[in-house]
Amino acid sequence: MYQRNDHPISRFTLKPTVILFAFILLLISIVSCKKEKGINQLDWQNESLSLTSEICKKFRECADSEWKTIPENLKKFTEGRLDETNCQKRFRESNAYKLIGSNPLEIQTIYNQCHKELISMSCKDLQSGKMETISSCVSFQKIQNR
C-alpha cells in the first residue's frame, strides 16, 4: 500500500500550487512597483499646474493661426488636448507632478527652466520644432517618459 507521502498524485499537486503561489507573489510585487505614488508636495503641485496652464495657453495661442491647415478630425483632438482642463488633468497623472523619475528638486528646476524657455519662444519657433533643442525640455521629456 502507498503511504500518504508516497502517493504519486500528492507529489504533483504540490508543485503547481507552489508555482502558482510564487507567480502570484511575483505579479503582486511587479504591479505594486509600477504604481509609484510619488511625493505629495502641495506647493509644487500648485506651482506646476500653474506653469502647465501657461504652457498650454501658449500652445493654444500658437495653434490658433494654424487651425485652418489642420484636418477637422485632428483639430478636435488637438483642441481637446490643449484645453486647460484636459491639459491639467493629463499633467496630474505625470511623473513631474508626482515628482517621480528623478530627484524632486531636479524635476522642479528642469520644469521651471523648460517653462521659461517655452514661454519666451515665438510661435514660429515652437511650430518649427525648436522646443526639441532646449536641453531642459529634452531632460524634462525623459523624466516624463520614465
Side-chain angles (χ1 to χ4, degrees), residues 118-134:
L118 285 176
I119 296 302
S120 68
M121 291 179 86
S122 70
C123 288
K124 184 178 180 182
D125 287 343
L126 283 174
Q127 291 166 351
S128 68
K130 289 198 177 176
M131 179 178 114
E132 295 171 15
T133 64
I134 302 171

Side-chain angles (χ1 to χ4, degrees), residues 63-115:
D64 281 346
S65 63
E66 298 298 314
W67 286 129
K68 295 174 194 142
T69 62
I70 297 174
E72 196 61 37
N73 59 341
L74 285 178
K75 188 184 297 186
K76 291 189 186 309
F77 174 77
T78 307
E79 286 174 329
R81 297 282 279 221
L82 293 177
D83 173 71
E84 185 171 349
T85 304
N86 289 335
C87 188
Q88 288 189 0
K89 179 182 175 191
R90 290 181 52 80
F91 187 74
R92 281 187 181 98
E93 299 165 358
S94 74
N95 287 345
Y97 182 79
K98 296 176 184 179
L99 295 172
I100 298 172
S102 189
N103 175 305
L105 185 57
E106 181 182 7
I107 293 171
Q108 293 169 344
T109 303
I110 289 171
Y111 194 48
N112 276 307
Q113 290 171 347
C114 178
H115 166 267

Side-chain angles (χ1 to χ4, degrees), residues 54-67:
E54 291 175 11
I55 291 171
C56 287
K57 181 180 178 186
K58 175 78 174 192
F59 279 100
R60 272 194 313 275
E61 289 170 355
C62 290
D64 281 346
S65 63
E66 298 298 314
W67 286 129

